[in-house]
Amino acid sequence: MIRFFTKNQYKNTILALWAILALIQACFTELMDDEAYYWVYSRHLDWGYFDHPPMIALLIKAGYAIFHNELGVRLAMVVLNVGTLILTDKLISQKNNTVFYLILAGMGAMQLGGILAVPDIPLIFFAALYFYLYRNFLAAQNWKNTLLLGLSMALMFYSKYHGVLLVFFTVLSNLHLLKLPRFWMAVLITTALFFPHLYWQYTHDFPSLQYHLVERNAKAYHISFTLDYLAGQLLLFGPLVGWLLLYYAFRVPVKDSFERAMKFSLIGVLVFFAISTFKGRVEANWTVMIFTPLLVLAHQGIVRQGYSLKFLKAVWIPSLILVLVVRVYMMWDFLPGVRIRPELHHNREWTAVVKEQAAGRPVVFINSYQQPSKYMFYQGDMSFSLNTIRSRRSQYNFWPMEEKLWGKEIWLATSDRNYFPDEKGIPTAQGEFFGKSVPNFHSYTLLQLIPAQKEFTRTKDGQYRFAVKNLYHQDLPVIGNGPKLKYLIWEDPEMPPVVWDTELHLKDLIGKDSVDIHIPGSKMPGKYKLKLGFEAVEGMDPTHNSPVFRINDL
């Protein structure tokens, strides 16, 4: 069987088979939570989003214009996934098809995850394209290669911010680049192409930086962060052969500047995120952009250095069988009593139950960007996420969707019993949902209060200055004085967050450029974190109406 695949003419057959399996899986697998969320991105094209740059939205928009189903959401991902294999193959200087096929057979995540409409897939593809064009740039520093190198870097950054690490470690591997005018020209091209996204971040107060560098940090380090990360890397590039591929890629000697760039990128990215575990939990998929360096270096180690193929030959069939079982499970829930990635199954059923309860009313989910996204995709009705001050923000905090709900009766829904402890749950295929009708709904998450400084020292009168930003660009409907402005305060990590009232109402802020807010002093000195918000639904926590700021109560 292995000897059969050594002929060059079978490479296109393998790629075609890879693509066909991916298309089948993309068509018959329901959307994961994040995929539905990014599909909503594509309904609101912009130069940036709270979580990610806009590439994923544009790709989904293109595929969904052709097929209005799961396949349409994922179509561009399948194309890029196959394109990644083609580019990676072109980067292997001493080819051996048998080795190439054996490595791919063992990399289950690339087979299974290559169809998912998530930012990782364009990042992997544009990372491979970046290395391909960087090799061309090293061979000939002409204007064509300079322009294409700059373009590839911009496309990486538009896919996911992590791409900047590949450029950094490339420069670190070859400091001579800093002396090349054409390299700096490529950097200028990248900057010019990426400027619209940077401007979007600026006009929105850099929410992505705030989220990724501040809000995601854990309160305290736990060793499980590091251990989970290390285990995740072995599974990500395996699951059975990940350890061996990493070992071969680390061990192989590099022969030129190009291979040195790939090795610096491979090791640098893995070490960077290993260090990041000391600040919080790191997702295994954050390192996916090293797929191409890993495959190329491991391949060269086997072909050029003679590293053993025995283990790869022994496990390629078990690996494919394991992948096949997972493929089937992703499309068909043949283990209904076992909840493994339940988000992949029964989405039409549970959203239909919620729609029946809503009885024609728009559905507002509490503290979930996943549920309204799934609801809109599978039921086609209006939905929204009301993120309270104790939860994380999402892109729903930035979309101007609330105006369509102002003054309407909505159905407030959640899968968290704590919000409706006395209500009877509605059984669905995804567990119980709880809800209630809210007449004349109003929330004001796009009215933002920006502190004059990120860290205040306690003043005698307890007054602090905030800029008032109305991101709706229209007058706000206010009933009476409107909801009261509240604040969440906690001393990290000792003090549980507590919500308190201020003396101001929404009406007190309308039409003002800035406002002084009175926040009484604490009984105990310390460094406190705070957030401001308005109560959208009576009895619930307020929404996010400010970034996190600090008050040092000395």
Side-chain angles (χ1 to χ4, degrees):
M1 178 68 74
I2 291 180
R3 186 178 303 168
F4 175 81
F5 289 123
T6 59
K7 297 181 180 181
N8 290 330
Q9 60 262 39
Y10 292 115
K11 184 169 292 184
N12 291 337
T13 303
I14 295 298
L15 291 175
L17 181 61
W18 182 288
I20 291 170
L21 290 173
L23 288 170
I24 294 172
Q25 186 180 343
C27 186
F28 294 103
T29 302
E30 294 183 25
L31 295 188
M32 297 182 70
D33 289 341
D34 284 354
E35 291 182 284
Y37 181 42
Y38 301 138
W39 171 79
V40 182
Y41 274 24
S42 73
R43 315 299 283 180
H44 304 270
L45 288 183
D46 206 341
W47 283 107
Y49 300 93
F50 173 71
D51 315 74
H52 295 292
M55 180 63 72
I56 185 64
L58 187 62
L59 293 171
I60 292 175
K61 184 80 172 180
Y64 197 73
I66 302 173
F67 301 109
H68 294 302
N69 52 26
E70 290 90 346
L71 177 60
V73 173
R74 295 167 171 149
L75 183 61
M77 310 305 133
V78 174
V79 174
L80 293 186
N81 182 244
V82 176
T84 300
L85 302 186
I86 295 172
L87 285 172
T88 302
D89 179 59
K90 290 181 179 296
L91 290 173
I92 299 173
S93 57
Q94 296 179 235
K95 295 183 180 5
N96 183 307
N97 287 343
T98 300
V99 175
F100 187 66
Y101 300 144
L102 287 174
I103 292 176
L104 288 181
M107 300 185 81
M110 193 62 179
Q111 300 175 58
L112 298 167
I115 61 107
L116 299 179
V118 293
D120 301 307
I121 304 307
L123 175 63
I124 295 171
F125 172 78
F126 288 118
L129 180 63
Y130 161 74
F131 281 114
Y132 178 76
L133 294 173
Y134 175 64
R135 187 180 66 176
N136 292 349
F137 180 81
L138 290 177
Q141 293 159 36
N142 52 41
W143 280 109
K144 175 186 175 182
N145 290 337
T146 300
L147 175 62
L148 291 176
L149 181 64
L151 175 62
S152 69
M153 291 190 289
L155 291 172
M156 271 203 306
F157 300 164
Y158 270 117
S159 300
K160 206 169 182 180
Y161 302 115
H162 299 164
V164 72
L165 293 175
L166 298 183
V167 178
F168 172 78
F169 289 115
T170 296
V171 173
L172 196 63
S173 73
N174 185 6
L175 295 177
H176 179 67
L177 291 172
L178 300 177
K179 299 179 181 180
L180 300 178
R182 292 289 173 88
F183 177 76
W184 286 108
M185 182 57 65
V187 171
L188 288 176
I189 292 170
T190 300
T191 304
L193 293 174
F194 199 58
F195 179 78
H197 177 71
L198 297 177
Y199 183 73
W200 182 92
Q201 289 285 344
Y202 168 75
T203 57
H204 290 76
D205 298 313
F206 298 97
S208 299
L209 291 178
Q210 171 73 16
Y211 171 62
H212 289 292
L213 300 182
V214 178
E215 295 181 16
R216 295 193 74 147
N217 289 347
K219 294 181 179 180
Y221 171 72
H222 194 280
I223 193 172
S224 65
F225 296 167
T226 303
L227 295 178
D228 289 348
Y229 166 75
L230 295 176
Q233 296 312 296
L234 297 179
L235 292 174
L236 178 66
F237 300 113
L240 302 179
V241 302
W243 63 274
L244 183 64
L245 297 179
L246 288 167
Y247 171 68
Y248 283 173
F250 287 166
R251 180 183 169 189
V252 63
V254 297
K255 69 174 186 178
D256 53 29
S257 296
F258 174 67
E259 287 192 357
R260 187 182 306 112
M262 286 197 295
K263 195 159 191 176
F264 267 61
S265 296
L266 173 69
I267 297 175
V269 167
L270 290 171
V271 171
F272 174 84
F273 285 114
I275 294 173
S276 298
T277 62
F278 291 97
K279 295 183 63 180
R281 193 170 296 280
V282 172
E283 302 293 337
N285 63 291
W286 289 1
T287 64
V288 292
M289 66 277 207
I290 62 172
F291 165 81
T292 292
L294 174 64
L295 195 155
V296 171
L297 292 173
H299 183 285
Q300 295 298 66
I302 295 169
V303 174
R304 196 168 65 216
Q305 304 301 126
Y307 299 159
S308 176
L309 263 179
K310 288 183 179 180
F311 189 77
L312 289 173
K313 289 180 177 179
V315 302
W316 74 278
I317 292 179
S319 294
L320 288 180
I321 292 174
L322 179 60
V323 167
L324 179 61
V325 171
V326 178
R327 279 189 193 274
V328 174
Y329 176 74
M330 291 176 70
M331 295 184 286
W332 170 43
D333 184 14
F334 59 80
L335 296 172
V338 180
R339 294 181 65 82
I340 303 174
R341 305 301 301 210
E343 64 191 281
L344 287 169
H345 304 118
H346 311 298
N347 290 293
R348 288 181 180 83
E349 291 90 332
W350 78 257
T351 54
V353 172
V354 174
K355 181 176 182 176
E356 182 180 2
Q357 293 296 317
R361 292 164 290 194
V363 180
V364 175
F365 291 88
I366 303 174
N367 292 339
S368 173
Y369 64 84
Q370 303 97 330
Q371 290 168 350
S373 303
K374 288 282 187 71
Y375 186 82
M376 283 189 281
F377 183 84
Y378 285 105
Q379 298 303 322
D381 288 356
M382 174 65 181
S383 189
F384 182 67
S385 174
L386 187 68
N387 297 318
T388 67
I389 205 167
R390 296 179 192 268
S391 72
R392 60 155 285 187
R393 295 184 296 166
S394 72
Q395 183 60 33
Y396 283 95
N397 289 87
F398 296 85
W399 278 318
M401 301 172 70
E402 291 165 299
E403 300 97 316
K404 299 177 182 179
L405 301 175
W406 284 342
K408 292 185 177 181
E409 181 180 0
I410 60 99
W411 180 257
L412 191 66
T414 180
S415 54
D416 188 345
R417 177 183 288 275
N418 293 323
Y419 287 99
F420 301 106
D422 300 323
E423 297 285 335
K424 183 178 179 180
I426 307 164
T428 77
Q430 291 286 20
E432 287 188 318
F433 273 80
F434 307 85
K436 70 174 183 179
S437 175
V438 177
N440 197 18
F441 175 79
H442 288 89
S443 64
Y444 307 95
T445 57
L446 289 183
L447 182 67
Q448 289 292 302
L449 300 169
I450 310 301
Q453 52 197 75
K454 292 183 178 180
E455 190 166 333
F456 295 101
T457 299
R458 173 66 62 189
T459 62
K460 292 183 180 180
D461 58 4
Q463 296 282 345
Y464 304 95
R465 176 61 57 94
F466 290 79
V468 181
K469 288 191 175 184
N470 178 9
L471 301 179
Y472 294 103
H473 304 298
Q474 61 175 290
D475 295 334
L476 302 182
V478 182
I479 301 174
N481 290 327
K484 181 168 284 190
L485 179 65
K486 302 188 176 188
Y487 64 93
L488 181 76
I489 182 170
W490 70 99
E491 185 179 18
D492 191 21
E494 290 82 8
M495 172 184 174
V498 179
V499 175
W500 297 95
D501 291 346
T502 71
E503 300 171 350
L504 300 177
H505 290 77
L506 177 63
K507 190 174 182 180
D508 300 321
L509 280 67
I510 300 298
K512 294 184 178 180
D513 294 325
S514 63
V515 65
D516 290 323
I517 300 176
H518 179 255
I519 301 175
S522 174
K523 296 180 181 179
M524 297 291 292
K527 294 184 177 181
Y528 295 90
K529 292 182 179 180
L530 298 93
K531 284 191 287 188
L532 300 169
F534 293 102
E535 186 181 76
V537 178
E538 185 177 358
M540 281 184 54
D541 285 331
T543 56
H544 291 267
N545 292 93
S546 82
V548 176
F549 61 96
R550 296 175 181 269
I551 294 180
N552 296 328
D553 204 346
L554 305 177

